[in-house]
Every structure is written in C-alpha cells, then in structure tokens.
Amino acid sequence: MTVKYTKDHEWIRLDGDVATIGITNYAQEQLGDVVFVEVPEAGARFDAGAEAAVVESVKAASEVYAPLTGEIVEGNQALADDPSLVNSDPEGAGWFFKMKPDDLSQMDDMLDDVAYRTLLVDLD
Amino acid sequence: MADDTKTLKTTPLDALHREYGAKMVPFAGYSMPVQYKAGVLQEHLHTRSQAGLFDVSHMGQARLLGSKAAEAMETLVPGDIVGLGAGNMRYTLLTNDAGGILDDLMVTHCGDSLYIVVNAACKDADFAHMRAKLTDAKLEIIEDHALLALQGPKAAEVLARYAPAVRHMVFLTGQAVRINDIPCFITRSGYTGEDGYEISIPNKDADAFARLLLSEHEVMPIGLGARDSLRLEAGLCLYGNDIDTTTTPIEAALNWTIGKRRRAEGGFPGADVILGQIKDGTARKRVGLMPEGRAPARAGTEIQDMDGAAAGIVTSGGFGPTVDGPIAMGYLRTELAVPGTRVNLMVRGKAQPAEVVKPPFVKQNYVKD
C-alpha cells in the first residue's frame, strides 16, 4: 500500500487499482471547522487537476482536485452527515472519494511522505 | 507575506493575540486575529452561551465637539441626532448625494460631545469627509484608545465585577466609567445580536484589562471569523458587502434608521433620492435567505427566481453555527423580497432552493430595560 501527497495538501492511498483521496492534517488545520462537504458521484470521470469535491469551513469554500485521471468508484457519503470527520480524522474516516486511475504512473511524480513533510517545514 | 506584515498596523493587543495562539490576518490595514486556538465554531458558540472578548481597536473612534455638533452631524446622516438624549446611542449612516452609503456608524450623545465609532476600512475617508463638511464642529480623532467588545449572556455579570455601574445600563446607552481607576467610555452595544458592551480604554491600559477579562472563566478571546458569523446570524449589515455606495438605506431595508422628523425635513446627503424611495419604493431590497440544503452560498452567488431569471445576488453568506446550517443575506427584486418566497441560489452552477426570510436568524438578546 502506497501513500503519496500533492502540493495541494491531498493524500492518495493506493490499494490494488483503487486510490482513496483525502486532504492532509495540515490542510484541515488551515481550513478550520469543516461544515459542508460535497463529494463526486460514483461513475463520474475527472482529469488530473480537475475540481472533484468541495470542502467548506465556517470561513470559506475550497476545492479538492482529482489528483489522478480516472473514474470515481465511491464518494464518502458519511461526510454529508458529519463533515467534521474531515477535522477529526482527515487521513482516515474523513476521506473524500475513491477512484480507479487510468494510469498509475501519474503517481510517480507525487510527493512521498518525507518530501511532503519537507514541504510543510518550508511553509512554516 | 513577510513584507506585507511589516506595513500592517497593529493594535495594543497584538502581543496578547499571539500569546493566545491567534491566526493573524491582514484586515483593513491592520494585523488582526481571525481566530484563536478554539476555532471559529467554538468561538461563535461560546459567545452565544457565555462571553467573548473581541479586539475592535482597528475601528475609528472620534469625538465631535461644539455646541452645534448634533445639528452639524445631521447634515451628513439621515438619523435623528438632535433628538438623541444625553447618554443615548444610535446606529446611523453616512450617505452621499446619490443616496448611497459611505459607511455605517454608531453615534453616542455624551453631553458635551458626540462619540463616534466608524468602520476600520472607511475611517480615514469618513474623518476627512466629516472635517471637510463640518465647519461648525470640531472633529477630534481618538488615536490613544483601544476598543474592546465583551459580548454574550455573561458579559454583564463579568464586566460588573470591575465596573458595577454597567449592570444598570440599557441597550444603546453609553457612559464614562472608571475601571480600576482607569477612565473608560463604555456603551452597551455590539455586533453579535447578544447583550454586551464596547469599552473604549487608553491604549496603555488595554492589554492589562483584556488579560483581566480573559482570566474570568466565562470569557474566551474571539476573532474576526466568529465576529462575522455572529453578525450575520444577527442580521446585521457588513459595510463593503451588504451596504456600500451603490446601495441606498431603503434598498438595504434600513428605513428604520430614518426617523419621522428627518423624513419630514430632509437635509442630509441624497435626501431627494432616499425620501423618494421611501415614498415610491425601490426595484430591489435586502433580505435574509435560508438555503434548504446544507451547502453555504457565499457572497457573490447569483440568485434566480423559480423560472430561472436573474433575481439578485448574495452579499453575505456562510454557515451559521447557532442556526446549525447555511444562512445568507442578499438583494432581490422587490416583488420577490417577501418572506416565504422561494428562490434558487446558484452555488457552483447548481440551483439550490432557498426561502426568503426576515433577519435576524437568531433571537436578539438585547437588554432594553
């Protein structure tokens, strides 16, 4: 199982041929209290970099991008009932969507754990 | 970022904000706390249930002096200032010749002067405007006082521990009060819909007094994020969003700020336009909007009628923590601006149904007697 990160503070966990995507702990801290999440429907297709989900805090709305090109397998419906899962468990129960990537090699250029943590150090 | 912060002004509570873990943001030329460690949601709910301390020192404070100060002020605002009794306070608007709103402000009659509080982003322009137009009165800008707001159902109990007299004040009154021998000017007012006070205190004493208030178990520091969600739930306008030079007091549904005598006499900038609109109505009105789903509609969201035709725009919108759902304010074509009417908010291109309501979204808890 591989976990990678993007510069937009998303994490991608690959299980077989399905990638689970969410936002990092750093991202949820920056957002503050999440009050609304809109996730994509199963079957929807996105290109890498396209807006796939929306996350809103009391203060503002932000987009979550599809980090990979592919088809959505599942959106996390639990977030509709309890958006605060994004704050309490961003890299677990607060996942946004699962997708089947067309081309797994798109993950090669993403940040690994060490590279992402280095990025965070530079942001402080 | 580092260069921007160098040019920002700071308030006397700057060190306190940082010690309390505030996230500081640029706002109206000042470095201000948008939230503390508790976060916007907790800060909002705490203010509604206990008491919140806000630093509003960035706002403009001034005194207008002269035996004809009230008459002079009436040449710039449509509010009844001459009729304001000593110790009483009023919400009013600086208008321009087209009937647009230059700023909204609070005016308190202090016996020998008018005490004025204006918005931070407008203060330089407001004071220049007042100085240019008010030749019969002297404007003294107050630079050496901070402004703190203590808001919430426990505000009176907490502040009375330091200044017992404040218990007996009613909503929209002001008086000079000594706190630990420091001369302060306190009004029973605020921007949250809750009972509370605004305390004008010398800069050099502000930090120590804010720490005393924060040492009270009921009091939590509150940032600009919760200040905005609290005022939106209370149905209060934010200058620059809900009102500006392109909106008139009548379009903004602020008719109540113009009393009988001013309607009869006029004599304020844009009176012809504003009084004409009181008589003939306007093409659009400010309303409250309750989205039916959970998606917040932010400022700038287009509003359509149920036939898909343009109906107006959202000017303030977000999530109301006490309402526990999305709330918004905006302008609608007048025939739609009726409570109970359904419209569509175009959130990210999708129609989200909403109902027109009359603000506030929460019960106001002012102490009126």
Side-chain angles (χ1 to χ4, degrees):
Chain A
M1 197 164 65
T2 321
V3 180
K4 292 276 186 105
Y5 299 86
T6 71
K7 285 179 186 145
D8 296 322
H9 307 287
E10 292 168 20
W11 55 262
I12 301 98
R13 191 179 64 224
L14 191 67
D15 273 305
D17 63 349
V18 173
T20 304
I21 287 118
I23 67 170
T24 64
N25 186 55
Y26 174 85
Q28 72 78 20
E29 278 179 2
Q30 294 299 307
L31 280 170
D33 305 301
V34 172
V35 296
F36 176 77
V37 176
E38 192 173 279
V39 294
E41 306 262 338
R45 281 195 59 84
F46 293 97
D47 287 337
E51 185 185 317
V54 175
V55 54
E56 302 214 22
S57 68
V58 183
K59 284 176 288 181
S62 309
E63 294 78 37
V64 177
Y65 303 103
L68 303 158
T69 299
E71 184 176 320
I72 301 295
V73 178
E74 187 184 355
N76 185 1
Q77 296 309 320
L79 296 185
D81 298 327
D82 187 4
S84 73
L85 285 171
V86 178
N87 295 119
S88 59
D89 193 8
E91 301 185 26
W95 60 276
F96 277 63
F97 52 88
K98 295 180 194 238
M99 69 192 303
K100 219 175 231 175
D102 292 354
D103 179 6
L104 286 177
S105 72
Q106 279 183 328
M107 282 186 77
D108 295 349
D109 295 336
M110 290 179 182
L111 307 173
D112 63 15
D113 187 50
V114 173
Y116 181 66
R117 276 188 283 160
T118 307
L119 175 82
L120 292 188
V121 169
D122 291 342
L123 286 173
D124 274 341
Chain B
M1 279 301 276
D3 286 327
D4 287 350
T5 50
K6 270 184 207 160
T7 60
L8 290 174
K9 290 183 265 188
T10 56
T11 76
L13 300 190
D14 191 64
L16 182 152
H17 296 319
R18 292 167 200 274
E19 271 176 56
Y20 275 80
K23 188 186 284 184
M24 304 298 287
V25 296
F27 183 84
Y30 284 80
S31 175
M32 297 298 291
V34 66
Q35 64 169 80
Y36 299 83
K37 282 183 191 140
V40 179
L41 210 58
Q42 286 311 310
E43 291 172 26
H44 177 116
L45 296 171
H46 186 88
T47 304
R48 292 245 185 272
S49 65
Q50 299 275 320
L53 181 69
F54 303 72
D55 179 13
V56 287
S57 304
H58 57 315
M59 297 186 79
Q61 301 179 68
R63 280 187 188 277
L64 192 65
L65 303 151
S67 59
K68 294 282 177 197
E71 286 84 351
M73 194 68 195
E74 283 199 351
T75 66
L76 299 185
V77 302
D80 182 357
I81 307 301
V82 171
L84 199 56
N88 287 322
M89 181 181 201
R90 181 155 286 162
Y91 173 77
T92 190
L93 307 161
L94 285 166
T95 50
N96 66 21
D97 291 336
I101 301 172
L102 295 169
D103 199 4
D104 58 347
L105 68 159
M106 300 299 298
V107 178
T108 309
H109 187 319
C110 299
D112 59 345
S113 64
L114 297 176
Y115 168 67
I116 294 164
V117 179
V118 302
N119 281 301
C122 305
K123 66 181 176 182
D124 293 343
D126 289 352
F127 293 152
H129 173 67
M130 291 172 69
R131 280 210 166 126
K133 302 277 180 174
L134 302 181
T135 46
D136 286 350
K138 187 172 171 235
L139 185 77
E140 275 183 9
I141 300 171
I142 303 172
E143 307 260 28
D144 57 355
H145 278 60
L147 192 63
L148 309 180
L150 186 67
Q151 300 279 299
K154 299 285 185 187
E157 192 182 322
V158 170
L159 193 58
R161 290 174 198 149
Y162 299 92
V166 303
R167 245 186 221 292
H168 308 294
M169 297 174 72
V170 296
F171 185 58
L172 296 186
T173 63
Q175 65 184 67
V177 175
R178 294 188 88 84
I179 296 175
N180 296 337
D181 225 29
I182 303 158
C184 298
F185 189 79
I186 297 182
T187 61
R188 198 157 191 169
S189 66
Y191 194 48
T192 60
E194 296 300 323
D195 180 29
Y197 303 86
E198 291 195 353
I199 305 150
S200 179
I201 181 168
N203 286 338
K204 62 177 174 50
D205 302 307
D207 177 89
F209 184 56
R211 285 174 199 272
L212 274 182
L213 289 175
L214 288 169
S215 73
E216 302 291 339
H217 68 90
E218 299 95 335
V219 182
M220 181 187 269
I222 312 295
L224 293 179
R227 182 168 160 83
D228 189 52
S229 55
L230 287 158
R231 71 90 197 166
L232 178 57
E233 280 186 344
L236 302 170
C237 291
L238 172 62
Y239 190 83
N241 274 46
D242 308 303
I243 49 176
D244 59 29
T245 52
T246 70
T247 62
T248 70
I250 311 310
E251 290 174 324
L254 297 170
N255 307 43
W256 60 271
T257 66
I258 311 173
K260 218 177 187 175
R261 180 178 58 81
R262 302 303 317 268
R263 289 182 192 208
E265 294 174 3
F268 51 89
D272 49 342
V273 174
I274 292 167
L275 297 178
Q277 290 183 346
I278 292 178
K279 191 165 149 278
D280 303 329
T282 56
R284 58 177 191 158
K285 275 275 180 198
R286 181 178 62 92
V287 296
L289 297 158
M290 283 284 268
E292 287 174 12
R294 298 292 294 173
R298 306 284 174 178
T301 300
E302 185 198 347
I303 311 173
Q304 294 184 352
D305 64 21
M306 298 316 269
D307 298 325
I313 192 157
V314 172
T315 50
S316 283
F319 181 84
T322 304
V323 172
D324 192 24
I327 52 173
M329 273 203 268
Y331 284 82
L332 271 184
R333 294 200 320 257
T334 299
E335 75 271 20
L336 298 169
V338 180
T341 304
R342 289 181 83 224
V343 292
N344 279 321
L345 310 180
M346 304 307 289
V347 178
R348 290 178 286 277
K350 274 182 276 181
Q352 308 272 1
E355 188 182 327
V356 176
V357 297
K358 189 173 157 51
F361 298 93
V362 294
K363 186 177 156 282
Q364 291 170 330
N365 293 312
Y366 304 137
V367 174
K368 295 198 172 170
D369 49 35

